[in-house]
Amino acid sequence: MAGGPERTAVLIVDSYTTTCSRCRQGAFIRDTHHTRIASGWDTPDPRDRSRDRPCGARFVAISTVRLEYTVDDLRRLRSDLPAYEAGAAPRGLTS
């Protein structure tokens, strides 16, 4: 990214949605960067235009908020990314 360090994020998997750890907006599980907003349960406030745009961060890992999802489950979704169980992702992956 020109003008500064590259932004990074973790894909956060829940039961029915996947979000970006950086901006908390919906993300598509196969995208390498957060360039599209995936719809989900949370409907943004139409007055908040900042929520219409993805943050552009590069996904550097995959994790979950669900205790029952294992690292193996996450690896099946994205074998190209390091996988971390709920609460186990190292600090500093989101920048």
Side-chain angles (χ1 to χ4, degrees), residues 43-87:
T43 303
D45 182 339
R47 297 168 292 183
D48 184 358
R49 301 306 298 171
S50 67
R51 291 183 51 107
D52 290 342
R53 295 178 300 279
C55 67
R58 179 175 57 92
F59 295 120
V60 295
I62 187 169
S63 190
T64 182
V65 295
R66 309 292 295 189
L67 294 175
E68 65 269 21
Y69 292 171
T70 68
V71 167
D72 289 337
D73 294 330
L74 298 171
R75 285 185 184 133
R76 279 191 285 280
L77 293 171
R78 284 293 298 265
S79 61
D80 61 317
L81 294 175
Y84 300 96
E85 291 178 352

